[in-house]
Amino acid sequence: MTSEATASSTTEGHPLRVGLFVTCLVDLMRPNVGFSTVKLLEDAGCRVEVPELQTCCGQPAYNSGDFSDTQHIARQVITAFEGYDYLVAPSGSCVGMIKEHYPRLFSTDAGWRNRAERLAGRSYEIASFLHDVLAVESLGASHEASVTYHDSCSGLRELGIHDQPRALLGKISGLELREMTDSNVCCGFGGTFCVKYPKISEHLVSEKVANIAGTGAELLLGGDLGCLLNIAGRIKREGRDTKVFHVVEMLAGMIDVPAIGEAETPDGPV
Amino acid sequence: MNGSKAHVLASIRASLNRSGPLPASVARSLQARLARPRANLKPVVGADLTAHFTAQLEAVSGKVTRVASIDAVAEVVATHMRSYDLGARLVVAPDPALEGIPWSNRLSVERRAAAGDDRVSVTGAYAGVAETGSLVLLSSPESPTTLNFLPDDHLVVLREVQIVPHIEDVWVRMRSDKRRMPRTVNFITGPSKTADVEQTIQEGAHGPRRLHVILVSE
Amino acid sequence: MKSTAAKFKKSVRVSLGDPDLQRAMGFIKSGFVKNRRAAVERLPEFDELRRLARGIKEHTLQNLDFYLEAYEERVQASGGHVHWASTPEQACEIVVDICRRAGAKRVTKGKSMVGEEMGINDALEQAGLEPIETDLGEYIIQLAEEPPSHIIAPAVHKTKHQITELFHTHHARYGYTERQTEVPALVDEARQVLREKFLSADVGITGANFLIAETGSSVIVTNEGNGDLTNTLPRVHIVTAGIEKIVPTREDASTLLRVLARSATGQEMSVYTTFSTGPRRSDDLDGPSEYHVVLLDNGRSQMLGNAFHEMLRCIRCGACMNHCPVYQGIGGHAYGWVYVGPMGSVLTPLMVGLDEAGDLPNACTLNGRCREVCPMEIGLPDMLRELRRRQYQDRQTSRTSRTALAAWSFLARRPRLYRRLMGAAVASLAWLGRRRGRFRHMLLAGGWTSVRDLPAPQGASFQNQWRKRRGDAQP
């Protein structure tokens, strides 16, 4: 399976310089998502660099009320990325953090607020970047499978990401997209929420899994690894066999690796 | 509790970073705004107000019977009372608009406010609102409020010309009629209902079980 | 009303395990959520109206003292009285005093969340009066001696079967001995029982969806007609309202009414929308001869202009809780007080204390659906996060959380150390999990693995692989 994104991705003859914000979860848990993102961007003609001085966007600290540490981390991100044409990340929640919340974090510091606002204006979630900025026309990929798509909350409500991943998936011939009931309802991850209130999280994620199973789709795709780890973990706990991938892995044609929560064995994936 | 009033106002002003009331000029402009209210956005309502009014009210189980003239009202009321087996006693609002209606002589008609055991009332209305399918009733000696709520069946005589497009038009009309706010202005949109038992809609909660508008075109 | 918000986690366990409650909560999705969406789709101007509604409230709040005084003047001009209360206790004293001076015994009540906030029923009972809830949902929970579980459908947690039993037990004294199992019969029996109460009440207490400064009017929005029987039949009418309910003009109220009913139940207009102004006029044939408005502050004035200012725009429609997946799962009682769901998670800590209600701002995924459906565009997730910030500052968060968070932030600010340490950690975990690709149990991750498997990391971290592939030439 091949994937060749084609689009216009140059300004005045120079390729766009994209800083990849890989996100902590992708970096640590599933690098394949990062490499898929790089492939999609490079195939579209971008020059991708991965600034060394990145770790986290600061959401864990921010959503726990530690605004001070959040500011330190935000300054680190701004400094590392502000020299690029764009910051692109395979996560709606991290980009939402950078776009919506970094400027507000520095509401009383004009200097940092301006730098945050400039970075915010150039930061994109990957599906939105491919569709809205690069206007990628074809992915040159094909894959026979039925899939369903989970809309992660931050991406949907902070960034308006809904149509873009669906439009991109529509360019993969052989793929059948089946919408689940309540695709836009929270899966129960919510960062630290899922471990602080496991019983409530369980209620939400089991409903999500039931809705996924209700479509009969072979694969679940989504744009945020936190959600996907949560859902995949529950699918496995319930003994179901829906396979879970990040949407960029499908778009880049890089799904010949074990699905989330699975391993390759001599007898096939488990 | 006058002490509390000063306390509450002081607390409000402190939060708004003011040491006292608004400057007189600002207060004057706000008073002027109160004296000349303006409508905000009003949703589009089609040109046929009667049709819109009727559709809205029927959608929420209000019954609408169109008649050509006020002379037909008595028959509609008598038929309604027969259909629902409502007996022979009728309370009619002391409304001049309902004066001289030739009620069936099989009915005993009283012109007063409602009592707890009244089963049927007939009132007029101040207006109808096409946007929402609502009747507008202003409390007065000619339109006592209890007639709108105590009986099981409430019939309202409304002339088509009384139908206005929007809620705001009621206020405009009241101002031009020099009508001050009465004790109650009731917007009534259908018979009473509740969904408090397993979210199942049930008509006939505490107010009337049935609302029947007799729409007079003359 | 007394708060049990501190028992949140225990209450949640109970409600998640209650099949009757879970079934009842299902009606929220099939009812309120579905109907609201249909109503919004039918009104092209909805979003514009929301924006205008927000503007009206903001203007009013910026000039709240002016509008309250203008309102009071006009209530007085129409023959009514306005009473101001800083605290719930003061408000109860005022209401009880009015009832005593009227020689009242029986008090009918339309639904008033401020009334619950004040604990008015307890105060009336302690003063020897008999308060009777007349909104069917409130009546049901009054019989059940339970708090409301939703701000507009207070008995949403009750099944038909439970209501059958309640009526059978409590209506026998009125001569109703048959057990009614169907909705029409149940509603009819309640109608008959409550009709007698309406007619014999000395005082009627209603809430107010809006107070109008232009005319000194209070507005209630009901479907049952109970509010109107409550404000018309007794000889005294008392309105209880928060100070933030003021809007400038009747036109402004009209705008807000358009978004209120649609957001709450998906109706375009409730059955009864009533504007009350003063007592009966000298030539009226019916109506109370006294009209009192009790304005309650209870901390609202202190929310003006600070991080929680937007909460004062709330028109108590209930859309946020209807759409909150957490509320849908746990129901209203778990929130432990009058206000539930997202708006309750902001108001309860502010009104009863953050230490008492500490779980509420945290039991939220910050998914934002509440803000999306709020007709007043209130930034609920941001206010919940601000409450978390205060908890963090006041060291109210647990020691474990703070330590884990501090460790994470420490590493996150040191990318090279992070890369080495976390890189090694995930590489080991990946190796440990290589056979199944996931863990059923994981040390220090009990919260996760109690509910779902933990996928194993793929292998070496992205950063480490990247450095290897591309060499160290990258900046």
Side-chain angles (χ1 to χ4, degrees):
Chain A
M1 179 189 156
T2 56
S3 161
E4 290 149 13
T6 53
S8 73
S9 50
T10 60
T11 51
E12 300 158 359
H14 304 295
L16 294 176
R17 278 181 72 240
V18 173
L20 175 68
F21 186 83
V22 72
T23 84
C24 62
L25 285 179
V26 167
D27 179 34
L28 299 176
M29 299 297 288
R30 199 164 173 90
N32 193 50
V33 173
F35 289 112
S36 302
T37 309
V38 171
K39 179 173 198 305
L40 286 166
L41 290 167
E42 288 182 340
D43 284 353
C46 298
R47 207 182 107 202
V48 181
E49 294 174 25
V50 182
E52 207 179 73
L53 297 178
Q54 63 171 296
T55 52
C56 173
C57 66
Q59 271 186 93
Y62 188 56
N63 292 335
S64 302
D66 178 3
F67 285 17
S68 167
D69 271 329
T70 312
Q71 284 172 335
H72 285 295
I73 295 169
R75 282 191 273 261
Q76 183 173 277
V77 173
I78 294 168
T79 309
F81 282 86
E82 62 189 347
Y84 292 92
D85 295 330
Y86 291 99
L87 176 160
V88 176
S91 161
S93 71
C94 300
V95 174
M97 178 70 189
I98 293 166
K99 283 180 85 83
E100 295 298 311
H101 298 283
Y102 277 13
R104 297 164 60 173
L105 269 175
F106 300 110
S107 56
T108 55
D109 182 334
W112 276 105
R113 190 179 65 245
N114 287 336
R115 291 168 76 176
E117 278 167 0
R118 276 201 302 276
L119 180 63
R122 287 188 256 130
S123 297
Y124 285 87
E125 183 269 357
I126 178 64
S128 160
F129 190 66
L130 291 171
H131 187 269
D132 301 333
V133 178
L134 299 183
V136 160
E137 272 148 24
S138 82
L139 294 167
S142 64
H143 188 81
E144 292 275 331
S146 53
V147 308
T148 188
Y149 192 85
H150 164 69
D151 294 297
S152 297
C153 298
S154 308
L156 175 68
R157 299 197 179 92
E158 286 184 330
L159 305 175
I161 293 170
H162 178 273
D163 296 344
Q164 305 92 325
R166 287 168 173 81
L168 292 166
L169 287 171
K171 298 177 195 300
I172 297 183
S173 62
L175 214 55
E176 181 209 344
L177 176 62
R178 302 180 189 178
E179 293 289 357
M180 70 174 94
T181 305
D182 288 344
S183 65
N184 63 3
V185 172
C186 186
C187 71
F189 173 61
T192 54
F193 169 85
C194 66
V195 294
K196 281 188 174 165
Y197 297 94
K199 286 284 143 205
I200 308 178
S201 176
E202 177 178 32
H203 184 91
L204 269 58
V205 74
S206 47
E207 255 199 62
K208 176 63 62 174
V209 168
N211 288 337
I212 290 166
T215 65
E218 298 156 68
L219 306 185
L220 167 75
L221 302 176
D224 265 85
L225 195 54
C227 304
L228 298 172
L229 290 168
N230 175 43
I231 298 171
R234 183 68 187 184
I235 284 173
K236 287 303 179 199
R237 180 61 59 94
E238 292 189 12
R240 298 181 188 268
D241 54 16
T242 318
K243 291 184 182 311
V244 181
F245 289 91
H246 191 290
V247 67
V248 295
E249 298 178 288
M250 172 64 77
L251 296 175
M254 289 172 65
I255 57 164
D256 40 1
V257 294
I260 298 174
E262 294 192 350
E264 191 66 52
T265 70
D267 306 317
V270 295
Chain B
M1 290 269 166
N2 284 330
S4 283
K5 173 176 173 181
H7 192 79
V8 171
L9 289 174
S11 180
I12 291 172
R13 288 164 182 155
S15 295
L16 293 173
N17 286 321
R18 274 197 271 113
S19 53
L22 284 173
S25 55
V26 181
R28 267 197 304 275
S29 77
L30 293 183
Q31 287 285 6
R33 193 177 177 283
L34 285 179
R36 284 195 149 59
R38 274 180 341 171
N40 305 296
L41 172 74
K42 295 183 285 191
V44 168
V45 165
D48 189 343
L49 298 183
T50 300
H52 198 103
F53 173 85
T54 305
Q56 289 289 123
L57 184 49
E58 287 180 342
V60 291
S61 306
K63 191 168 155 75
V64 180
T65 300
R66 293 185 69 168
V67 300
S69 85
I70 198 111
D71 299 329
V73 167
E75 182 55 43
V76 175
V77 172
T79 306
H80 180 107
M81 290 179 72
R82 271 197 311 271
S83 321
Y84 297 105
D85 210 7
L86 293 171
R89 219 185 59 199
L90 179 62
V91 189
V92 174
D95 188 332
L98 305 176
E99 212 70 57
I101 292 180
W103 304 107
S104 157
N105 50 23
R106 276 181 282 113
L107 294 177
S108 108
V109 174
E110 292 168 36
R111 315 286 300 271
R112 54 169 171 77
D117 54 356
D118 286 331
R119 297 181 70 190
V120 194
S121 66
V122 180
T123 69
Y126 182 70
V129 178
E131 176 193 355
T132 52
S134 305
L135 296 161
V136 184
L137 288 92
L138 273 48
S139 64
S140 71
E142 291 88 33
S143 185
T145 316
T146 45
L147 290 175
N148 310 336
F149 293 99
L150 279 175
D152 280 353
D153 285 63
H154 181 201
L155 293 96
V156 182
V157 179
L158 181 74
R159 286 179 16 255
E160 274 186 51
V161 295
Q162 289 178 280
I163 300 177
V164 297
H166 296 102
I167 302 171
E168 288 86 341
D169 295 310
V170 175
W171 313 129
V172 170
R173 177 180 285 185
M174 281 178 73
R175 289 185 194 110
S176 83
D177 284 351
K178 306 258 191 288
R179 278 301 275 270
R180 300 177 67 180
M181 286 293 271
R183 189 188 71 83
T184 58
V185 177
N186 295 130
F187 286 75
I188 298 178
T189 315
S192 71
K193 63 189 181 197
T194 181
D196 276 324
V197 183
E198 291 193 345
Q199 297 297 296
T200 311
I201 297 187
Q202 180 59 44
E203 276 154 22
H206 299 295
R209 299 177 191 274
R210 281 172 291 270
L211 178 70
H212 187 163
V213 174
I214 306 172
L215 197 51
V216 180
S217 45
E218 90 184 334
Chain C
M1 181 178 145
K2 225 179 151 328
S3 156
T4 57
K7 302 200 190 113
F8 181 79
K9 282 194 162 135
K10 182 149 171 257
S11 305
V12 164
R13 265 201 300 277
V14 169
S15 58
L16 286 174
D18 179 347
D20 281 339
L21 176 69
Q22 292 301 318
R23 196 175 134 257
M25 296 311 288
F27 292 123
I28 296 215
K29 275 198 276 203
S30 56
F32 290 137
V33 172
K34 202 164 82 119
N35 294 340
R36 177 202 170 268
R37 184 178 320 127
V40 167
E41 280 169 7
R42 277 199 303 269
L43 182 65
E45 297 92 342
F46 186 78
D47 276 336
E48 179 64 15
L49 285 167
R50 277 171 84 193
R51 212 184 47 80
L52 290 167
R54 171 187 173 157
I56 291 167
K57 273 287 183 179
E58 272 312 312
H59 165 80
T60 312
L61 291 171
Q62 290 303 325
N63 302 287
L64 188 60
D65 53 334
F66 167 83
Y67 281 113
L68 283 169
E69 287 198 287
Y71 169 77
E72 179 184 50
E73 229 178 84
R74 285 151 176 94
V75 172
Q76 289 165 343
S78 64
H81 306 272
V82 177
H83 311 261
W84 304 65
S86 293
T87 66
E89 294 76 26
Q90 283 174 5
C92 284
E93 263 178 58
I94 293 167
V95 171
V96 168
D97 191 55
I98 295 170
C99 292
R100 279 218 184 94
R101 282 191 277 112
K105 288 274 346 142
R106 178 168 280 179
V107 178
T108 43
K109 294 191 64 226
K111 203 161 73 61
S112 168
M113 300 318 292
V114 159
E116 306 267 5
E117 190 184 318
M118 285 160 55
I120 189 59
N121 287 2
D122 279 344
L124 289 169
E125 281 167 2
Q126 276 168 37
L129 290 125
E130 185 199 358
I132 297 145
E133 294 289 349
T134 65
D135 170 274
L136 185 57
E138 289 282 347
Y139 175 67
I140 289 167
I141 60 170
Q142 186 178 39
L143 293 182
E145 293 182 45
E146 290 176 16
S149 69
H150 188 285
I151 62 171
I152 63 161
V156 71
H157 60 287
K158 285 252 166 279
T159 63
K160 189 170 62 172
H161 174 80
Q162 290 165 339
I163 295 167
T164 294
E165 291 312 308
L166 275 171
F167 283 9
H168 185 66
T169 307
H170 291 271
H171 290 172
R173 77 194 70 165
Y174 305 116
Y176 297 94
T177 49
E178 240 183 87
R179 192 180 248 100
Q180 302 298 349
T181 56
E182 294 316 306
V183 174
L186 285 166
V187 171
D188 205 64
E189 190 169 287
R191 177 196 179 91
Q192 289 176 55
V193 168
L194 285 169
R195 183 55 71 96
E196 192 270 318
K197 313 279 185 192
F198 283 123
L199 290 165
S200 58
D202 307 300
V203 173
I205 302 180
T206 64
N209 291 89
F210 306 108
L211 301 173
I212 303 178
E214 179 207 349
T215 52
S217 307
S218 57
V219 185
I220 57 168
V221 164
T222 71
N223 288 302
E224 296 179 16
N226 65 304
D228 295 281
L229 291 170
T230 299
N231 70 21
T232 294
L233 294 173
R235 46 181 196 282
V236 176
H237 177 201
I238 303 176
V239 177
T240 48
I243 55 174
E244 86 285 17
K245 291 298 177 73
I246 291 270
V247 298
T249 67
R250 287 175 281 182
E251 273 75 356
D252 293 324
S254 306
T255 300
L256 285 157
L257 283 167
R258 287 191 178 97
V259 297
L260 172 60
R262 285 176 173 88
S263 302
T265 58
Q267 292 171 279
E268 293 183 17
M269 187 79 166
S270 69
V271 180
Y272 303 110
T273 301
T274 297
F275 294 69
S276 295
T277 315
R280 64 191 287 170
R281 309 297 189 254
S282 55
D283 54 355
D284 273 335
L285 301 182
D286 50 25
S289 50
E290 282 179 52
Y291 176 83
H292 297 266
V293 180
V294 180
L295 295 172
L296 177 61
D297 183 352
N298 197 21
R300 289 159 171 80
S301 58
Q302 285 151 325
M303 288 162 63
L304 280 166
N306 76 3
F308 304 101
H309 175 95
E310 294 189 4
M311 207 54 227
L312 295 170
R313 302 204 284 256
C314 176
I315 57 175
R316 307 293 194 259
C317 71
C320 60
M321 59 199 69
N322 289 338
H323 291 79
C324 172
V326 172
Y327 174 84
Q328 285 174 0
I330 68 178
H333 286 160
Y335 293 81
W337 204 52
V338 178
Y339 302 112
V340 301
M343 56 85 76
S345 298
V346 174
L347 283 179
T348 304
L350 291 177
M351 289 181 173
V352 311
L354 191 48
D355 44 359
E356 157 78 15
D359 273 309
L360 299 189
N362 290 286
C364 164
T365 62
L366 300 175
N367 68 82
R369 217 168 169 216
C370 49
R371 174 178 41 211
E372 196 176 53
V373 299
C374 174
M376 309 304 291
E377 301 186 346
I378 298 171
L380 289 155
D382 293 319
M383 289 191 280
L384 293 170
R385 191 185 292 108
E386 170 62 24
L387 287 168
R388 296 181 190 184
R389 192 189 67 79
R390 293 184 183 198
Q391 284 174 313
Y392 186 83
Q393 214 167 33
D394 298 340
R395 307 188 79 82
Q396 280 176 17
T397 34
S398 78
R399 172 91 67 86
T400 335
S401 293
R402 295 179 73 88
T403 313
L405 189 61
W408 176 261
S409 296
F410 178 88
L411 282 176
R413 293 168 59 180
R414 291 160 179 80
R416 289 189 183 88
L417 176 62
Y418 174 98
R419 238 192 357 262
R420 277 204 311 277
L421 237 148
M422 297 306 296
V426 297
S428 326
L429 266 178
W431 187 82
L432 280 171
R434 70 198 180 286
R435 264 207 311 266
R436 292 183 72 240
R438 58 189 178 272
F439 303 101
R440 291 198 77 87
H441 309 281
M442 173 58 56
L443 192 62
L444 299 178
W448 181 282
T449 55
S450 65
V451 162
R452 76 220 100 204
D453 287 357
L454 176 64
Q458 263 181 331
S461 74
F462 176 88
Q463 289 270 39
N464 285 342
Q465 292 186 50
W466 182 265
R467 309 272 144 241
K468 261 207 192 91
R469 283 193 205 186
R470 302 283 170 121
D472 282 347
Q474 292 298 325

